[in-house]
Amino acid sequence: MPGPKTRAAKILAIESSCDETACAVVEGLQVRASIIASQVEIHAAFGGVVPELASRHHLTAAVPVLRAAVEAAGVTFAELDGLAVTEGPGLVGALLVGVQLAQGLALATGLPLHGIHHMEGHLVSPFLGDAEITARDFVPHLALSVSGGHSELVLVAGLGDYRVLGCTRDDAAGEAFDKVAKLLGLGYPGGPVIDRLAAEGDSTAFHFPRAMLADRERFEFSFSGLKTALSVHLDKHGQPGSRAALADLCASFQAAVVEVLVAKARLARRKFACKAMTIVGGVSANRGLRDAMAVAAAADGFELWTPALRYCGDNAAMIGAAAALRVQAGRTPAVQVFASRAIDEPRGVTA
Ligand code: KG4
Ligand code: ZN
């Protein structure tokens, strides 16, 4: 059984859970290289990720991305302490490409391979450092984890010690952005486009429902009704006739999502007396959400940490950093591929 390490572990990490093929080299929380090949343009034509296409493109991108990361970091396999790979949740075919590449490397090099829960990677992302930003100690906090597949509030007591306080009952926040963008003919992924348009619009122009807001005891979300409300609005009034009207619609929709996320996160933080909060996952790039949470942080007196924009979406640096923390804590390496498993659910028997 490996003992805890005092120096930061050097890890090569692979991420392929959805539509980004990514590889990174980290030293503890310090990113030495992070390469991401996005498939966004391939899936945009279909209005969402096509699993079979994702797997096939991971296959062609994986080795070039791996080579680029190793070259950019200037490391040899002999210098590494371990390998890491996203083991789930995600598209199984996509995950398997990364896992099989990582298992091949582990076999060839003899390096230990750490399977990392994708959402644990996102939890670590605000703590990363690189040539431009300073790494932070991974300390207890409350995380608002919002991506294309997840929307949850997670109490982080320490590495591997997570408690999901509440999650979405239906659509994830990012999914709501993507579906609404589709209704408005804005393409995929919808989050960044709506974010940009919302900045130009009036968020009070239309009122959309804020689901679950009145329930102050539960930290759950629901976004599918909001999507329906927007669809009903479009049925009644038609597509917006000008860029200004489109911007108003985007701003009003985004304000509804942001208000619920911020209100629930504030309640949870107060209830569990957390000194710090993070926002993680693809939606953490949203300017409206960042600004509103910064106002809440100043009013309520808590620290707010968000990832650098390059680490908001899927990347392998966060997977490597989570593995480096696990090595430092003396955790045993293991990999177990799964399509779906909550971050606070215990692992099954490991292979
Ligand atoms: O974490 P991520 O890259 O992949 C998953 O693990 O799901 O998150 C992708 C999601 C997409 O739904 C995308 O529309 C959303 O994050 N997203 C945003 C923004 N940038 C990405 N949503 C709102 N505002 C943004 N700026
Ligand atoms: Zn993600």
Side-chain angles (χ1 to χ4, degrees):
M1 182 111 146
K5 269 199 160 47
T6 46
R7 94 178 153 76
K10 249 191 205 171
I11 305 284
L12 182 139
I14 297 164
E15 150 70 42
S16 69
S17 63
C18 189
D19 59 348
E20 261 93 30
T21 319
C23 187
V25 177
V26 300
E27 194 165 350
L29 291 170
Q30 196 66 25
V31 183
R32 298 294 176 213
S34 174
I35 307 286
I36 303 168
S38 175
Q39 305 177 3
V40 148
E41 281 168 24
I42 293 152
H43 301 290
F46 302 92
V49 178
V50 183
E52 176 59 25
L53 278 184
S55 313
R56 278 196 244 158
H57 282 88
H58 283 309
L59 271 179
T60 48
V63 172
V65 166
L66 172 75
R67 278 217 180 95
V70 170
E71 252 173 56
V75 287
T76 61
F77 282 98
E79 293 168 59
L80 295 174
D81 297 297
L83 303 165
V85 68
T86 303
E87 58 181 359
L91 305 168
V92 170
L95 286 165
L96 282 174
V97 178
V99 167
Q100 289 185 349
L101 177 62
Q103 282 175 332
L105 286 173
L107 203 65
T109 59
L111 287 166
L113 174 58
H114 300 262
I116 301 295
H117 193 294
H118 181 78
M119 301 315 288
E120 180 171 52
H122 279 301
L123 288 183
V124 174
S125 62
F127 299 88
L128 293 172
D130 61 21
E132 279 158 44
I133 48 170
T134 310
R136 292 187 182 95
D137 287 339
F138 187 74
V139 292
H141 62 276
L142 174 72
L144 172 64
S145 181
V146 272
S147 68
H150 291 80
S151 288
E152 53 195 28
L153 278 160
V154 187
L155 203 53
V156 179
L159 183 75
D161 190 350
Y162 311 126
R163 180 174 154 205
V164 177
L165 301 177
C167 53
T168 182
R169 286 191 171 186
D170 37 61
D171 292 351
E175 197 178 349
F177 273 93
D178 294 340
K179 287 180 174 170
V180 163
K182 204 168 180 176
L183 289 173
L184 293 169
L186 296 174
Y188 172 86
V193 192
I194 291 184
D195 190 1
R196 271 197 302 277
L197 282 162
E200 298 170 20
D202 172 7
S203 62
T204 61
F206 307 101
H207 185 80
F208 291 116
R210 272 82 166 145
M212 325 281 292
L213 199 56
D215 187 347
R216 298 171 65 85
E217 284 308 310
R218 268 182 302 181
F219 305 108
E220 290 179 311
F221 306 100
S222 165
F223 295 110
S224 78
L226 175 56
K227 173 200 63 196
T228 308
L230 200 125
S231 167
V232 169
H233 174 96
L234 292 179
D235 285 347
K236 242 193 228 166
H237 305 282
Q239 288 285 340
S242 65
R243 184 173 172 104
L246 175 63
D248 284 351
L249 208 50
C250 288
S252 302
F253 159 77
Q254 182 172 290
V257 176
V258 167
E259 188 179 330
V260 178
L261 291 175
V262 172
K264 291 281 174 177
R266 282 176 101 166
L267 283 172
R269 194 211 62 84
R270 219 169 285 150
K271 177 162 180 176
F272 294 95
C274 302
K275 293 195 180 79
M277 193 195 295
T278 62
I279 316 175
V280 301
V283 184
S284 69
N286 187 270
R287 274 176 294 172
L289 177 58
R290 284 179 176 233
D291 291 349
M293 200 68 93
V295 170
D300 298 357
F302 62 87
E303 295 262 16
L304 175 65
W305 299 321
T306 48
L309 287 182
R310 56 193 169 282
Y311 304 126
C312 287
D314 291 346
N315 65 87
M318 65 185 194
I319 303 301
L325 291 176
R326 287 189 164 262
V327 171
Q328 247 167 301
R331 305 285 165 86
T332 312
V335 183
Q336 190 179 56
V337 178
F338 52 88
S340 155
R341 193 187 78 208
I343 195 169
D344 57 355
E345 233 175 84
R347 298 169 71 110
V349 179
T350 49

